Amino acid sequence: MIKIDNLHKKFGKNEVLKGVDLNIPEKGIFAVLGPNGSGKTTLIKSILGMVVPDKGKIFIKGKETQQNGAYRSDIDYLPQIANFPNNLGVKELIKMIKDLRGVNADYDELIKVFKLEPFLNKKLNNLSGGTKQKVNIVLTFMFDSQIVILDEPTTGLDPVALIHLKNLIKKEKEKGKTILVTSHIMSFVEEISDEIVFILEGKIYFKGNLQELREKTGEADFEHAIANLLMKDHA
Amino acid sequence: MLKILKYSFFDLIRSRWSYVYLLFYLLLGFVLLFLNEDLSKAVITLMNVIIILVPLIGTIFGVMYYYDSKEFTELLLAQPVKRSSIFIGQYLGVSLSLVMSLVIGLGLPFVFYGLFQSSAIFDFTLLLVTGALLTLAFTAIAFNIALYNENKIKGFSYAILMWLFMAVIYDGLFLMFLVIFDTYPLDKFSLIATMLNPIDLSRILILLKLDIAALLGYTGAIFKEFFGTNTGLFSALGALMIWVVLPVFNIYRKSKKKDF
């Protein structure tokens, strides 16, 4: 579904990605993990075409990604920070993104699940951080694309919303979608992900499922296994 | 592009600052017209306000809008839309909402004043066209500055410095140069130097139209001498348009290569 070949990216002198090769098959939830500054966000932004790679190629559904961004109609993306035009209402924003995509969007159900009805006509700058994140989630999941990319989806959510989010992700998985998640909340990752992609210093350091991770590190607990991966290299 | 333009325009015309800007022009227009007996004097005063204030507001709004909508721009960049249409759309949203405040804010007082019966309608139209072009130019320059600077504070400072340079410092340097080199023929130099600053250019444009170019002294006289009033008018207008086209083209170019 997503294939990445020898991806390099430098920001000034800072080499963030140093030759990433990654093959993400169809179906399943893939967690992209790594310490701060390891290149997770850069990797995701490269897939989306927001960062222009120095070297390397990215293929989505077997086709190389193009400058004009038409391939992005196959991807739903949840950005890390939810910030919207201050003077638009929630409803207008939903309509705007739907307009831009030019496809059908199914948001009534999502609005109900996240209890956003009272905010529909409110201006976005009057909403709290958590409510904005809920709007963000609605904007992402209202489309029915093959690939879903979630960058820190849990930010600012209350426990109830978090449960709804997990259900939503699982539902999308059952539809046979490819879902890419980054998160620093290890319990969340452990609960939802099928496979872990661990990035360290700009390279793929580990790729496999939870069982393989436990075997490799010799730690039964997921959080400790990840910490183990981190410490071994930085000790 | 039109869709992005539409929504950023809607977003902006509902912002409190757009209303403040509009009210300011309404007030200014009414006060100048109804407390001033002489219409052409009112136009000149308006011109003096416009050529300083319009660039400042265009610069500030441009930079602020870019930085303020940065995260939302990232969301837009993940949609199947071309990059250039996102940025050009946002740019047009900002500049057109400012142009609208200007045209309505100054237009209403003039309509009440009975502009359509007066002979000053062309002077006044030119004033609005110049204001619109200045808005388009400075918003575009501000977008450029913001595109090149990730750091908000830096970008904001550069933008304000740019305005200060164009509106104040440039004239000082220009004048100093004329005084120091006054034994040399300076007509070509002053023509070119005027073309290189959109604010000076606008001033010349309006003064030429009002046929009081002599007021401006040296540069105005040279403009008139070189072009004659009509040619001078159109070449100044053309140069001002270049000041819009070039920065907009650079937004298009830069946004294609930038990492977000």
Side-chain angles (χ1 to χ4, degrees):
Chain A
M1 190 55 88
I2 304 174
K3 191 167 172 284
I4 299 173
D5 264 351
N6 195 27
L7 196 68
H8 286 262
K9 180 67 196 176
K10 250 197 255 179
F11 290 109
K13 278 185 184 157
N14 183 13
E15 218 180 333
V16 181
L17 298 179
K18 304 170 187 166
V20 172
D21 292 297
L22 185 63
N23 200 350
I24 292 176
E26 239 167 283
K27 278 188 198 174
I29 302 174
F30 300 84
V32 181
L33 304 180
N36 305 109
S38 56
K40 288 172 304 217
T41 301
T42 308
L43 180 68
I44 282 180
K45 285 185 171 178
S46 304
I47 295 174
L48 286 159
M50 290 155 76
V51 165
V52 186
D54 299 328
K55 220 166 92 184
K57 284 178 180 167
I58 298 169
F59 300 88
I60 306 275
K61 285 177 149 182
K63 268 193 234 153
E64 194 176 342
T65 54
Q66 306 241 295
Q67 263 275 323
N68 69 21
Y71 72 92
R72 287 195 283 259
S73 53
D74 285 326
I75 305 176
D76 295 335
Y77 170 59
L78 180 87
Q80 195 167 27
I81 303 167
N83 208 349
F84 306 111
N86 286 329
N87 302 297
L88 291 185
V90 175
K91 223 177 184 171
E92 279 171 308
L93 179 69
I94 292 175
K95 226 185 112 211
M96 171 185 184
I97 300 296
K98 195 183 143 204
D99 260 11
L100 278 180
R101 286 234 168 190
V103 292
N104 249 345
D106 194 9
Y107 45 82
D108 294 333
E109 176 80 31
L110 289 165
I111 286 171
K112 226 181 270 164
V113 168
F114 287 105
K115 302 214 161 38
L116 286 172
E117 292 101 335
F119 304 106
L120 279 182
N121 291 314
K122 285 219 172 109
K123 278 188 180 182
L124 281 149
N125 64 342
N126 297 331
L127 302 188
S128 74
T131 315
K132 275 188 192 170
Q133 180 67 2
K134 287 180 193 167
V135 174
N136 206 6
I137 291 172
V138 172
L139 290 178
T140 310
F141 285 96
M142 67 185 188
F143 298 110
D144 197 18
S145 306
Q146 265 302 306
I147 300 169
V148 183
I149 297 179
L150 310 170
D151 200 352
E152 296 282 352
T154 56
T155 320
L157 291 184
D158 57 50
V160 183
L162 192 59
I163 292 171
H164 287 311
L165 175 69
K166 284 180 197 161
N167 290 338
L168 207 58
I169 294 176
K170 282 175 193 155
K171 233 202 259 165
E172 295 300 300
K173 181 190 159 188
E174 278 158 24
K175 286 187 199 162
K177 293 189 180 183
T178 308
I179 302 164
L180 232 62
V181 193
T182 75
S183 179
H184 283 292
I185 316 288
M186 286 307 133
S187 57
F188 173 74
V189 172
E190 188 179 10
E191 191 182 333
I192 60 157
S193 55
D194 299 319
E195 237 181 88
I196 311 282
V197 177
F198 196 87
I199 303 182
L200 202 60
E201 288 169 355
K203 281 191 165 172
I204 306 286
Y205 186 75
F206 170 84
K207 182 172 179 280
N209 58 31
L210 292 172
Q211 191 55 39
E212 286 165 345
L213 179 73
R214 288 194 185 103
E215 277 163 19
K216 183 171 175 166
T217 55
E219 299 268 4
D221 179 64
F222 178 67
E223 203 156 7
H224 281 101
I226 291 289
N228 184 303
L229 274 185
L230 280 175
M231 295 211 291
K232 241 199 274 174
D233 216 77
H234 291 286
Chain B
M1 185 186 88
L2 284 177
K3 284 173 190 164
I4 293 185
L5 162 64
K6 181 177 122 192
Y7 285 98
S8 44
F9 184 77
F10 279 155
D11 176 32
L12 278 159
I13 55 169
R14 279 185 225 157
S15 117
R16 200 184 320 137
W17 293 109
S18 290
Y19 291 114
V20 173
Y21 191 52
L22 175 72
L23 277 177
F24 173 80
Y25 278 129
L26 273 177
L27 209 70
L28 185 75
F30 275 116
V31 167
L32 279 179
L33 281 176
F34 291 95
L35 295 184
N36 213 327
E37 290 297 301
D38 188 349
L39 190 64
S40 72
K41 263 189 194 159
V43 173
I44 292 177
T45 315
L46 271 180
M47 175 202 79
N48 279 323
V49 176
I50 284 181
I51 56 173
I52 298 299
L53 190 73
V54 160
L56 178 65
I57 298 292
T59 306
I60 292 180
F61 269 60
V63 179
M64 279 209 318
Y65 187 82
Y66 179 89
Y67 287 122
D68 213 35
S69 53
K70 215 169 164 193
E71 286 92 10
F72 185 62
T73 306
E74 289 194 5
L75 180 79
L76 292 178
L77 284 165
Q79 309 300 326
V81 188
K82 265 195 290 182
R83 275 184 177 198
S84 47
S85 16
I86 296 174
F87 289 98
I88 303 283
Q90 286 182 339
Y91 157 70
L92 287 176
V94 179
S95 45
L96 292 184
S97 75
L98 290 178
V99 168
M100 203 181 75
S101 293
L102 177 78
V103 170
I104 294 179
L106 288 185
L108 278 183
F110 269 88
V111 170
F112 281 116
Y113 186 76
L115 175 79
F116 294 114
Q117 283 97 47
S118 98
S119 58
I121 183 154
F122 288 111
D123 296 348
F124 178 71
T125 314
L126 183 71
L127 192 70
L128 288 188
V129 169
T130 313
L133 285 174
L134 275 178
T135 307
L136 289 169
F138 276 85
T139 315
I141 295 172
F143 257 68
N144 270 290
I145 292 175
L147 271 167
Y148 280 96
N149 290 288
E150 278 303 297
N151 186 323
K152 231 187 230 189
I153 310 275
K154 250 191 187 168
F156 208 86
S157 321
Y158 286 148
I160 294 293
L161 278 177
M162 183 273 299
W163 170 80
L164 196 68
F165 179 78
M166 295 283 201
V168 185
I169 300 172
Y170 193 90
D171 276 354
L173 290 177
F174 189 14
L175 206 66
M176 234 164 67
F177 199 88
L178 291 182
V179 170
I180 294 172
F181 293 97
D182 69 341
T183 47
Y184 296 88
L186 287 168
D187 21 12
K188 278 219 178 92
F189 163 76
S190 25
L191 266 180
I192 293 167
T194 306
M195 294 279 191
L196 290 179
N197 183 344
I199 295 181
D200 275 357
L201 205 54
S202 312
R203 195 180 290 133
I204 296 268
L205 191 59
I206 295 163
L207 291 180
L208 273 176
K209 180 73 190 80
L210 291 179
D211 213 15
I212 40 171
L215 264 189
L216 199 75
Y218 193 69
T219 350
I222 283 182
F223 250 85
K224 222 174 162 182
E225 195 184 298
F226 261 80
F227 295 120
T229 308
N230 262 339
T231 334
L233 194 77
F234 283 111
S235 41
L237 213 57
L240 202 53
M241 277 177 193
I242 292 176
W243 269 102
V244 178
V245 173
L246 282 185
V248 171
F249 177 73
N250 202 50
I251 295 177
Y252 172 79
R253 203 183 58 93
K254 175 71 183 163
S255 68
K256 261 187 163 167
K257 294 186 296 188
K258 194 175 153 62
D259 293 319
F260 292 90

CSV table of all heavy atoms in Angstrom, one decimal, chain A residues 31 33 42 51 77 82 84 111 118 127 137 139 152-153 186 190 208 223:
chain,number,residue,atom,x,y,z
A,31,ALA,N,2.0,1.3,14.0
A,31,ALA,CA,2.4,2.4,14.9
A,31,ALA,C,3.8,2.8,14.6
A,31,ALA,O,4.7,2.0,14.5
A,31,ALA,CB,2.3,2.0,16.4
A,33,LEU,N,6.8,4.6,15.9
A,33,LEU,CA,7.3,5.1,17.2
A,33,LEU,C,8.8,5.5,17.1
A,33,LEU,O,9.4,5.3,16.1
A,33,LEU,CB,7.2,4.0,18.3
A,33,LEU,CG,5.8,3.3,18.5
A,33,LEU,CD1,5.9,2.3,19.5
A,33,LEU,CD2,4.8,4.4,18.9
A,42,THR,N,8.5,13.9,10.2
A,42,THR,CA,9.1,14.1,8.9
A,42,THR,C,8.7,13.0,7.9
A,42,THR,O,8.4,13.2,6.7
A,42,THR,CB,10.6,14.2,8.9
A,42,THR,OG1,11.0,15.2,9.9
A,42,THR,CG2,11.3,14.6,7.6
A,51,VAL,N,6.6,17.5,3.0
A,51,VAL,CA,8.1,17.7,3.0
A,51,VAL,C,8.6,17.1,1.7
A,51,VAL,O,8.2,16.1,1.3
A,51,VAL,CB,8.7,17.0,4.2
A,51,VAL,CG1,10.2,16.8,4.1
A,51,VAL,CG2,8.3,17.7,5.5
A,77,TYR,N,-5.8,12.4,6.7
A,77,TYR,CA,-4.7,12.8,7.6
A,77,TYR,C,-5.3,13.6,8.8
A,77,TYR,O,-6.1,14.5,8.7
A,77,TYR,CB,-3.7,13.6,6.8
A,77,TYR,CG,-2.7,14.3,7.7
A,77,TYR,CD1,-1.8,13.6,8.4
A,77,TYR,CD2,-2.5,15.7,7.6
A,77,TYR,CE1,-0.8,14.2,9.2
A,77,TYR,CE2,-1.5,16.3,8.4
A,77,TYR,CZ,-0.7,15.5,9.1
A,77,TYR,OH,0.3,16.2,9.9
A,82,ALA,N,-4.4,20.9,16.3
A,82,ALA,CA,-5.7,21.3,15.7
A,82,ALA,C,-5.9,22.8,15.9
A,82,ALA,O,-6.0,23.3,17.0
A,82,ALA,CB,-6.8,20.6,16.4
A,84,PHE,N,-7.8,26.1,13.6
A,84,PHE,CA,-8.6,26.3,12.5
A,84,PHE,C,-8.8,27.8,12.3
A,84,PHE,O,-8.6,28.6,13.2
A,84,PHE,CB,-9.9,25.6,12.6
A,84,PHE,CG,-9.8,24.1,12.9
A,84,PHE,CD1,-10.1,23.6,14.1
A,84,PHE,CD2,-9.2,23.3,11.9
A,84,PHE,CE1,-9.9,22.2,14.3
A,84,PHE,CE2,-9.0,21.9,12.1
A,84,PHE,CZ,-9.4,21.4,13.3
A,111,ILE,N,-20.4,13.3,14.5
A,111,ILE,CA,-20.8,14.5,15.3
A,111,ILE,C,-21.6,14.0,16.5
A,111,ILE,O,-21.4,14.5,17.6
A,111,ILE,CB,-21.6,15.5,14.5
A,111,ILE,CG1,-20.6,16.2,13.5
A,111,ILE,CG2,-22.3,16.5,15.3
A,111,ILE,CD1,-21.3,17.1,12.5
A,118,PRO,N,-23.8,20.8,20.0
A,118,PRO,CA,-24.0,22.2,20.5
A,118,PRO,C,-23.0,23.2,20.0
A,118,PRO,O,-23.2,24.4,20.1
A,118,PRO,CB,-23.8,22.1,22.0
A,118,PRO,CG,-23.4,20.7,22.3
A,118,PRO,CD,-23.5,19.9,21.1
A,127,LEU,N,-13.8,27.5,20.9
A,127,LEU,CA,-13.7,26.1,21.3
A,127,LEU,C,-12.5,25.8,22.1
A,127,LEU,O,-11.4,26.4,21.9
A,127,LEU,CB,-13.8,25.2,20.1
A,127,LEU,CG,-15.0,25.3,19.2
A,127,LEU,CD1,-15.0,24.1,18.2
A,127,LEU,CD2,-16.3,25.3,19.9
A,137,ILE,N,-10.8,15.2,14.5
A,137,ILE,CA,-11.0,13.8,14.3
A,137,ILE,C,-12.2,13.6,13.3
A,137,ILE,O,-12.1,12.8,12.4
A,137,ILE,CB,-11.3,13.1,15.6
A,137,ILE,CG1,-10.0,13.1,16.4
A,137,ILE,CG2,-11.8,11.7,15.4
A,137,ILE,CD1,-10.2,12.6,17.8
A,139,LEU,N,-13.1,15.7,11.0
A,139,LEU,CA,-12.6,16.1,9.6
A,139,LEU,C,-11.8,15.0,9.0
A,139,LEU,O,-11.8,14.8,7.8
A,139,LEU,CB,-11.7,17.3,9.7
A,139,LEU,CG,-12.4,18.6,10.1
A,139,LEU,CD1,-11.4,19.7,10.2
A,139,LEU,CD2,-13.4,19.0,9.0
A,152,GLU,N,-0.4,11.8,16.5
A,152,GLU,CA,-0.8,12.0,17.9
A,152,GLU,C,-2.3,12.3,18.1
A,152,GLU,O,-2.7,13.3,18.5
A,152,GLU,CB,0.0,13.3,18.4
A,152,GLU,CG,1.5,13.1,18.5
A,152,GLU,CD,1.9,12.3,19.7
A,152,GLU,OE1,1.1,12.0,20.6
A,152,GLU,OE2,3.1,12.0,19.8
A,153,PRO,N,-3.1,11.2,17.8
A,153,PRO,CA,-4.6,11.5,17.8
A,153,PRO,C,-5.1,11.7,19.2
A,153,PRO,O,-6.2,12.2,19.3
A,153,PRO,CB,-5.1,10.2,17.1
A,153,PRO,CG,-4.1,9.2,17.4
A,153,PRO,CD,-2.8,9.9,17.3
A,186,MET,N,2.0,4.9,25.3
A,186,MET,CA,2.3,3.5,25.0
A,186,MET,C,1.1,2.6,25.2
A,186,MET,O,1.0,1.6,24.4
A,186,MET,CB,3.5,3.1,25.9
A,186,MET,CG,4.8,3.7,25.4
A,186,MET,SD,5.0,3.4,23.6
A,186,MET,CE,5.5,4.9,23.0
A,190,GLU,N,-0.2,0.0,22.4
A,190,GLU,CA,-0.2,-1.4,22.7
A,190,GLU,C,-1.6,-2.0,22.4
A,190,GLU,O,-1.8,-3.0,21.9
A,190,GLU,CB,0.2,-1.7,24.2
A,190,GLU,CG,0.3,-3.1,24.5
A,190,GLU,CD,0.7,-3.3,25.9
A,190,GLU,OE1,0.7,-2.3,26.7
A,190,GLU,OE2,1.0,-4.5,26.3
A,208,GLY,N,8.1,-4.9,13.3
A,208,GLY,CA,7.5,-6.3,13.6
A,208,GLY,C,6.3,-6.1,14.6
A,208,GLY,O,6.0,-5.0,14.9
A,223,GLU,N,5.8,-1.1,27.5
A,223,GLU,CA,6.4,0.2,27.7
A,223,GLU,C,7.9,0.0,28.0
A,223,GLU,O,8.8,0.7,27.5
A,223,GLU,CB,5.7,0.9,28.9
A,223,GLU,CG,5.9,2.3,28.9
A,223,GLU,CD,4.8,3.1,29.7
A,223,GLU,OE1,4.0,2.4,30.3
A,223,GLU,OE2,4.8,4.3,29.6
